[in-house]
């Protein structure tokens, strides 16, 4: 990145709230006694203490009992995403149904894995259930059953929406009727600012085919590369049969567990308070700079603001002009399964400082005015 | 593992030479300044310092110049193994040519990935070149071109052999003639006890299709989950297009780099000295307990001794009886592409203490005598 460039591009975490000193102390404490743990292989599930802590995290947040023996630590939640679909796909005629706007990394991965994507429209409450039912019926009439429904129901990336409880129950019912497993990607689950959030689909659905994914990248640090999957047997065993990396990172797991075990929710509260200020700063700056020209919905959690531009704006051109003005933003089409999102951009607010957010949105305002002539 | 059980099963590293205190100090030093590195994504190649150190490691050991920008840090070398074959495979009619005796984890992974394996016989110098040529010709006559030749040329797992330079050059020539890329798995490269070792195939072959894999699991610690791949563009770009895990572990990379950067070869020398004593202890104990009944070749490096049993011994039964006697060994067929290695077992000597090795081999001797009546 150029000197002076302000980036709203990537969903990085917040360096200002990263507890570097405390984390280093926890490391020094735990590492002195780790010779045997580090010189042996971690097993397919990974570090027991971290699995217990993550099971407790899900119980506290989602109200669901999770057996730590059903938690699989992964190399970030992206390894869990690919592992889930590898488990469910057969190598022939593979198709995943998903929000038509979704995480670009998942879209790129599915595409590279030769998996067809059927996008379902989203509204302010996430995936539209009538459209999901229609998609599944249309596929069924062609004799096709998707391998899974991949969904980001909470703080949907990129749109920032939260699916209400009633719609979650409807999705579970539809998936059950069509015999299609749900893969729920809750990687933003803890990044919460305001409002109530219904329980995860995993907490509402005892189906043995459900696969649940979460991460420590968003609320803690992507550099620890720790995500996880929760799945009940026998689905868990099917997943384990597809894991070929000799297990997850013991060192990162042990240090992260040593740090977070006594302060997980304090850390989450502290991190969210700082992120909320960044969100609010970006929202105010967007109102100031873009006025009524753009449509912006305040996300109740997550790391992104989805900005619908005036129809006459080519988002690719805005991205280029903004880059020249010193601010990086992402064309919304990167998050569309058919690369066709219309006039939208995504802004990430986790990493830049409050001052950079304010200045970056000013540069975006200049850019938009230039593009519109 | 039961209390009192001695395990020769897994290729774990040596806990007695793991520098726990120094490693913890290095961590404390480096981690205090890592807030930005940890809260951002690592990129597809991973930690720059570790890539530079590993490039230097290859230059020092193999005499080959490696551009750190051609080094891809992975979650152990097993992620590199699957990434390499995923890159080279097409999803249809995929076939890998490899030593018919090979690493069980690779065999299980290829099988699970739907990849057919053509095993080439090995002798005391590794893969037999006449048999390789014959295999490739026979496949060509069926209109089939394998996706790669996967080889462990140095300290071959499980047989412990080293392929001589002349045979390496022959393999490179054969692979070139048939247009088949070589994937060289050199994960035991630094675990060296005696004798000269020829340069890696990668150092002997400037072919742009060559993929080279190495690891820190064997000479340092599997719990840091750090391996790497070296590939030249455009092969490197093809590999990167198949990487979907949002990059390798920054935390483990930074700590491991901070510790090893000034003492890599001192650590290797110290670790090998201790491992050599373990190898020698196991060799002596095997001679004492098994006498002339079994054929055992002293491995010049690596972590395993391959024991050919008398023909009348069922290795699966020996494994069971040995387990009852308190020692874990592995049936050689786990390392055979068709699960059919005959009367052999593999013994790993890296993890147990010298005393445990001696006692474990005694228990193995008792077991063998029981099995033979």
């Amino acid at each position: 990145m150029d000197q002076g460039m302000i980036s709203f591009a990537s969903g990085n975490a917040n360096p200002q709230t990263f507890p570097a000193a405390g984390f280093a102390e926890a490391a020094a404490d735990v590492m002195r006694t780790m010779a045997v743990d580090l010189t042996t292989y971690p097993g397919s599930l990974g570090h027991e203490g971290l699995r217990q802590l993550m099971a407790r995290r899900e119980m506290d947040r989602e109200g669901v009992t999770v057996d730590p023996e059903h938690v699989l630590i992964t190399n970030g939640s992206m390894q869990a995403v690919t592992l889930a679909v590898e488990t469910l796909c057969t190598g022939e005629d593979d198709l995943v149904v998903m929000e038509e706007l979704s995480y670009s990394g998942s879209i790129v991965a599915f595409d590279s894995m030769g998996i067809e994507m059927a996008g379902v429209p989203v509204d302010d409450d996430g995936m539209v259930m009538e459209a999901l039912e229609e998609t599944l019926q249309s596929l069924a009439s062609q004799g096709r059953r998707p391998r899974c429904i991949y969904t980001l129901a909470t703080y949907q990336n990129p749109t920032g929406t939260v699916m209400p409880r009633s719609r979650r129950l409807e999705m579970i019912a539809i998936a059950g009727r069509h015999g299609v497993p749900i893969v729920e990607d809750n990687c933003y689950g803890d990044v919460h600012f305001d409002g109530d959030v219904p329980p995860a689909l995993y907490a509402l659905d005892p189906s043995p085919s459900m696969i649940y994914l979460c991460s420590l990248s968003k609320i803690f640090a992507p550099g620890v590369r720790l995500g996880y999957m929760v799945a009940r047997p026998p689905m868990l065993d099917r997943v384990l049969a597809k894991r070929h990396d000799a297990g997850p990172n013991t060192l990162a797991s042990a240090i992260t567990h040593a740090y977070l075990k006594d302060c997980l929710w304090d850390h989450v509260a502290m991190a969210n308070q700082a992120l909320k200020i960044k969100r609010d700063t970006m929202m105010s700056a967007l109102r100031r700079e873009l006025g009524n020209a753009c449509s912006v919905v305040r996300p109740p959690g997550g790391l992104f603001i989805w900005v619908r531009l005036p129809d006459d704006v080519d988002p690719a051109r805005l991205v280029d002009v903004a880059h020249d003005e010193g601010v990086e933003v992402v064309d919304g089409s990167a998050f569309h399964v058919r690369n066709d999102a219309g006039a939208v951009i995504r802004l990430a607010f986790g990493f830049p400082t409050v001052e950079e957010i304010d200045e970056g949105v000013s540069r975006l305002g200049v850019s938009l005015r230039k593009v519109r002539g």
Side-chain angles (χ1 to χ4, degrees), chain A:
Chain A
M1 198 164 69
D2 299 353
Q3 199 71 22
M5 180 69 80
I6 294 170
S7 182
F8 300 150
S10 169
N12 290 322
N14 186 351
Q16 290 101 49
T17 53
F18 184 75
F23 192 55
E25 275 164 39
D29 278 354
V30 73
M31 282 171 65
R32 279 170 204 283
T33 55
M34 280 188 68
V36 168
D37 285 341
L38 288 175
T39 50
T40 52
Y41 281 84
S44 288
L45 297 179
H47 191 274
E48 190 179 359
L50 188 63
R51 288 190 282 114
Q52 287 168 345
L53 182 63
M54 295 301 104
R56 181 151 64 80
R57 178 190 188 200
E58 296 304 331
M59 192 170 71
D60 291 350
R61 179 177 6 85
E62 310 296 346
V64 62
T65 303
V66 171
D67 184 338
E69 295 302 304
H70 299 168
V71 177
L72 186 79
I73 307 290
T74 53
N75 186 37
S77 59
M78 262 316 286
Q79 188 191 19
V81 171
T82 54
L83 197 52
V85 296
E86 274 167 13
T87 301
L88 297 168
C89 285
T90 66
E92 271 178 46
D93 195 34
D94 288 322
L95 171 81
V96 166
V97 171
M98 58 201 284
E99 287 103 6
E100 66 178 10
L101 292 164
S102 187
Y103 170 48
S104 53
S106 297
I107 294 173
V108 168
F110 297 165
D111 190 48
S112 153
M113 295 163 78
I115 299 167
E116 197 182 330
M117 288 168 266
V120 178
V122 296
D123 63 17
D124 291 349
D125 289 335
M127 193 188 287
V128 176
M129 286 306 109
E130 293 71 23
L132 173 64
E133 176 67 49
E134 210 171 278
T135 300
L136 291 173
Q137 276 183 14
S138 156
L139 288 167
S141 73
Q142 302 160 41
R144 301 188 74 184
R145 187 154 71 180
R147 302 302 174 222
C148 67
I149 300 168
Y150 171 71
T151 183
L152 289 120
T154 303
Y155 318 127
Q156 210 272 334
N157 182 6
T159 61
T161 61
V162 175
M163 186 184 286
R165 184 188 182 101
S166 59
R167 199 179 275 197
R168 291 175 190 234
L169 292 171
E170 211 177 334
M171 182 189 278
I172 289 166
I174 292 171
R177 250 191 338 265
H178 287 268
V180 179
I182 294 173
V183 176
E184 178 178 28
D185 186 343
N186 196 26
C187 67
Y188 299 98
D190 281 324
V191 186
H192 172 75
F193 311 131
D194 28 43
D196 290 336
V197 176
L201 290 151
Y202 187 80
L204 297 170
D205 183 8
S207 158
S209 65
M210 167 75 100
I211 295 178
Y212 175 86
L213 317 177
C214 198
S215 179
L216 283 167
S217 293
K218 308 306 174 185
I219 199 65
F220 193 62
V224 301
R225 307 300 308 116
L226 292 171
Y228 54 95
M229 178 190 289
V230 184
R232 303 175 181 99
M235 181 59 84
L236 176 69
D237 306 301
R238 289 179 57 191
V239 172
L240 289 174
K242 286 286 170 187
R243 174 168 213 163
H244 308 304
D245 67 350
N249 200 295
T250 305
L251 179 63
S253 298
I255 297 174
T256 302
H257 171 255
Y259 180 73
L260 286 178
K261 69 179 162 30
D262 298 321
C263 72
L264 175 63
W265 296 116
D266 289 342
H267 174 81
V268 169
M270 180 272 292
N272 281 337
Q273 196 171 21
L275 284 170
K276 183 173 193 283
I277 294 170
K278 293 190 177 190
R279 179 204 62 177
D280 292 343
T281 303
M282 187 173 267
M283 287 299 297
S284 303
L286 286 169
R287 267 192 299 272
R288 181 190 73 217
E289 293 295 331
L290 309 185
N292 294 324
C294 301
S295 151
V296 182
V297 178
R298 196 174 76 147
L303 295 173
F304 308 109
I305 294 179
W306 187 238
V307 179
R308 187 155 292 282
L309 306 165
D311 285 342
D312 62 343
V313 175
D314 172 5
R317 179 150 154 65
L318 177 62
V319 168
D320 287 345
V321 172
H323 190 272
D324 290 343
E325 291 293 327
V327 60
E328 289 183 334
V329 303
V330 186
D331 183 340
S333 286
F335 306 97
H336 191 281
V337 292
R338 290 181 308 277
N339 198 36
D340 180 23
V344 271
I345 55 172
R346 194 196 73 171
L347 310 179
F349 56 79
F351 186 80
T353 64
V354 166
E355 293 71 26
E356 286 167 340
I357 289 172
D358 198 69
E359 168 61 20
V361 175
S362 293
R363 294 178 190 175
L364 181 62
V366 170
S367 311
L368 185 65
R369 289 186 286 278
K370 278 197 178 173
V371 167
R372 301 193 81 191

